[in-house]
Amino acid sequence: MRVFRPGTSTTRTRRAAAATVCAAASCALLLTGCGDNGGRQPASRSEAPASPVGATTNGLTEDQREREALIPADKTGYRKAASTAVDEVPDGTTTEIELKRDNDDKPVWRATVAAKDGTEHKVDVDAATGKVVSSRTDSDQDGDDKRDLAQQVSQAEISSQKAVDTATSRTKGTVTSVKLDDTDDGTPIWSVDIVTTDDWNKTTYDVDATNGKVLRKHVDRD
């Protein structure tokens, strides 16, 4: 009887035949998924391009949609709201004011007014009626906080109104926030936010509070 051992020509022939069958099967599977696009699978119709982060169906981001809804609801405007807020504090200075929504989702101008000694007063002005809806003293301040704020206010030789005029002369739009701040080197600045209602972007100007020069401009398209 003839015995076949590994490595003989007959065994190699059988292995070669098996390999040929496997190769043919693999090729058949590949050809099933191939088309005329160079072997690449066609894109599924259900796979839509990924949307940009934060984008919505009408092309506006969440922040832009909030501005679009909030700004038309304001019937008071920055200047009147700031004037109303500062009237609550004799010889006070408005150091921050921003158009926001309160806890009841109503539009308000939320202001911080500093008295001469640096005491902060929080004043909310109804953006629809222009009336003060709340006024209170910040109870979290200590003596150092008051001295620091009084010093910062005294260093601001340019008024907030002048800073707003500078910003709006460069970008036409709706003022939504004004804040007394400082740079890393301690220079006092007025930070002014302006929203352009054709695209609902927000442009921020940092205006040097000592000389009125624009130090920075940033456009927020989110």
Side-chain angles (χ1 to χ4, degrees):
M1 178 176 67
R2 190 175 179 181
V3 178
F4 297 99
R5 294 182 176 84
T8 63
S9 60
T10 303
T11 304
R12 287 195 296 271
T13 300
R14 290 180 176 175
R15 289 179 176 172
T20 300
V21 172
C22 290
S26 298
C27 184
L29 288 173
L30 289 173
L31 288 174
T32 301
C34 296
D36 294 333
N37 60 349
R40 295 186 298 273
Q41 289 286 351
S44 171
R45 294 183 181 272
S46 62
E47 295 176 359
S51 299
V53 176
T56 59
T57 54
N58 65 353
L60 297 179
T61 67
E62 183 177 350
D63 288 344
Q64 289 170 334
R65 285 171 61 85
E66 171 60 20
R67 296 170 198 146
E68 183 186 33
L70 178 60
I71 289 175
D74 172 37
K75 307 303 180 183
T76 301
Y78 154 73
R79 292 186 185 276
K80 183 178 179 180
S83 176
T84 300
V86 79
D87 285 345
E88 292 291 301
V89 183
D91 296 323
T93 299
T94 302
T95 58
E96 183 175 1
I97 186 167
E98 182 178 6
L99 180 61
K100 305 184 71 173
R101 291 191 181 276
D102 64 12
N103 294 334
D104 296 324
D105 204 36
K106 294 180 179 179
V108 297
W109 284 97
R110 186 150 289 167
T112 298
V113 182
K116 273 191 170 297
D117 65 351
T119 299
E120 282 189 346
H121 296 261
K122 304 294 186 180
V123 183
D124 286 355
V125 178
D126 190 311
T129 65
K131 296 180 179 180
V132 174
V133 292
S134 70
S135 180
R136 62 197 182 282
T137 302
D138 186 355
S139 59
D140 293 333
Q141 275 187 301
D142 58 22
D144 290 338
D145 293 333
K146 294 179 181 180
R147 282 190 294 272
D148 289 345
L149 182 57
Q151 182 180 8
Q152 187 181 37
V153 171
S154 67
Q155 291 174 339
E157 300 176 18
I158 301 299
S159 68
S160 60
Q161 299 289 350
K162 178 64 175 177
V164 168
D165 290 341
T166 298
T168 54
S169 69
R170 299 190 177 209
T171 298
K172 303 302 180 184
T174 301
V175 177
T176 59
S177 175
V178 182
K179 180 180 180 181
L180 181 61
D181 206 341
D182 52 41
T183 62
D184 291 339
D185 64 2
T187 301
I189 60 172
W190 289 106
S191 183
V192 182
D193 289 346
I194 301 172
V195 173
T196 45
T197 55
D198 57 341
D199 53 17
W200 302 107
N201 290 334
K202 179 178 70 176
T203 302
T204 300
Y205 286 95
D206 288 344
V207 180
D208 191 319
T210 64
N211 56 31
K213 294 181 179 179
V214 174
L215 301 180
R216 185 183 76 105
K217 173 187 176 181
H218 173 72
V219 181
D220 182 359
R221 295 182 171 85
D222 292 335

